[in-house]
Amino acid sequence: MLILNRQAVAAALPMADCIDAMRIALADFATGGYKLFPRQQLNAGPGEVLMGLMPTFSQAGGEKLWCLKDVLVAHDNAARGLDNHQGAVLLNDGETGQLRAVLDATEITARRTAATSAVATAALARPDARTVAILGTGTQAETHIEALRHVIPDAAFVLWGRSRDKVVELAGKSGAETADSARAAVADADVICTLTGSKEPIVELHWLKPGCHINAVGSSNRMARELGDDIVAASAFFVDSRSQAAVECGELLQPLERGVIGPDHARAELGEVLAGLRPGRSSAQELTVFKSLGIAVEDAAAAIRAVKNAIDKGLGQRVAW
């Protein structure tokens, strides 16, 4: 069995490889290469660390594998100098059930989420997109800057977050410009990535440039949303999984409950667009939104690619099981 800690995952999964893995896996998901099962969110009580369990079965490429990610959310971890998200990804042989690999889930999550946004941007944003607004200053802000540079090589980044010190720090490391407000950050943006923990909308429709694309990443909770009814109703809306969106996507569920949108408002899953099964952007002026809930298919694809690369490069630690 192979064990890949956070450093080994980072070394084994360059962002370009992760983007490639997400593009292939999401198209495979749309054509039956993966079976996705409902995410289980377990709550032990007020203030306790939350646990999520994310299972999927892969038969893409002719190899059968089970993948399970357990992710723990500890909201006080920032004060401890730790990422709020912890956990592991397990890969099991789909024929024998034997455990093949254990990988650090924090690094897998950080990379696959940003890589999926890059895939969505390449598929849905205008071909001439250049200015990218990053709203948020956490781990995902750093990985999104890295990932978006792969699909928009000459991108100009503008950063905004609630902590000015963190904005300045990240701008210094990434070479991005800073903005004093979310409105200023998105004013000229062709692509917007919302990467916050906000439970209420942080962007308004009349702030947006015609034809922009939004990757809404920050929440996977029906009671939270980063985009308001106006943006959702006006947009061509895409998801990573319809089944997961139906129970977790606040951006869709809240306006649906108010009758602002209908039950079929989501135009397609991203994988359906990648596989050529459903249309993507319809015009240069269209507002497109990709709601990233983060699905186990992405974890599995990232873990599979990381393990393959680790074996090729001699990374990680092998133990008898």
Side-chain angles (χ1 to χ4, degrees):
M1 182 187 67
L2 183 65
I3 298 178
L4 299 180
N5 64 12
R6 188 167 190 174
Q7 293 74 24
V9 170
L13 193 61
M15 187 58 75
D17 267 21
C18 194
I19 292 170
D20 183 59
M22 296 306 101
R23 185 183 296 111
I24 293 170
L26 289 167
D28 284 342
F29 175 45
T31 55
Y34 286 83
K35 294 181 180 179
L36 183 64
F37 298 89
R39 170 162 39 198
Q40 301 296 312
Q41 298 193 25
L42 310 178
N43 189 338
E48 301 295 342
V49 173
L50 305 176
M51 173 177 272
L53 300 175
M54 300 173 62
T56 189
F57 179 75
S58 170
Q59 49 194 0
E63 183 179 28
K64 295 180 180 180
L65 291 166
W66 275 101
C67 177
L68 174 68
K69 182 172 81 171
D70 79 316
V71 57
L72 291 300
V73 182
H75 292 293
D76 295 332
N77 269 3
R80 304 181 179 105
L82 298 172
D83 195 289
N84 284 353
H85 292 78
Q86 301 289 327
V89 177
L90 310 181
L91 284 180
N92 290 72
D93 189 292
E95 300 281 357
T96 67
Q98 290 175 295
L99 185 60
R100 284 194 181 181
V102 178
L103 303 90
D104 174 77
T106 301
E107 193 68 25
I108 289 286
T109 303
R111 288 176 176 269
R112 62 80 156 150
T113 306
T116 300
S117 290
V119 171
T121 300
L124 300 173
R126 289 169 49 138
D128 60 352
R130 182 175 181 273
T131 301
V132 180
I134 301 289
L135 308 185
T137 57
T139 299
Q140 282 300 330
E142 294 190 49
T143 54
H144 271 72
I145 292 172
E146 179 185 1
L148 268 292
R149 282 193 166 125
H150 283 274
V151 296
I152 309 177
D154 61 346
F157 288 90
V158 183
L159 309 181
W160 171 82
R162 291 188 175 90
S163 169
R164 182 65 182 174
D165 289 344
K166 289 182 179 180
V167 169
V168 171
E169 179 184 358
L170 180 56
K173 290 193 293 184
S174 63
E177 297 181 7
T178 67
D180 293 329
S181 66
R183 182 172 187 169
V186 305
D188 194 43
D190 304 305
V191 176
I192 300 165
C193 299
T194 60
L195 312 169
T196 74
S198 180
K199 293 184 178 181
E200 298 297 333
I202 60 171
V203 181
E204 297 183 21
L205 180 62
H206 66 278
W207 298 354
L208 304 180
K209 183 178 179 179
C212 79
H213 169 71
I214 301 175
N215 297 306
V217 179
S219 63
S220 55
N221 185 321
R222 66 184 299 132
M223 302 307 295
R225 58 190 184 141
E226 294 177 300
L227 307 179
D229 292 1
D230 55 352
I231 291 177
V232 174
S235 71
F237 201 94
F238 301 84
V239 296
D240 40 17
S241 162
R242 283 193 185 86
S243 62
Q244 201 152 306
V247 294
E248 293 183 355
C249 183
E251 276 85 359
L252 283 177
L253 294 172
Q254 291 189 37
L256 177 62
E257 290 169 357
R258 286 187 284 272
V260 176
I261 60 172
D264 299 322
H265 186 69
R267 179 175 293 180
E269 293 181 344
L270 177 58
E272 294 173 326
V273 177
L274 298 172
L277 301 176
R278 302 275 291 181
R281 169 181 290 274
S282 64
S283 74
Q285 298 301 303
E286 187 170 49
L287 168 64
T288 55
V289 172
F290 169 62
K291 177 56 191 177
S292 173
L293 291 163
I295 57 176
V297 169
E298 297 158 13
D299 297 311
I304 291 166
R305 183 67 65 95
V307 167
K308 178 183 181 301
N309 288 349
I311 292 171
D312 292 342
K313 297 177 180 181
L315 299 170
Q317 182 179 10
R318 287 205 171 268
V319 299
W321 190 261

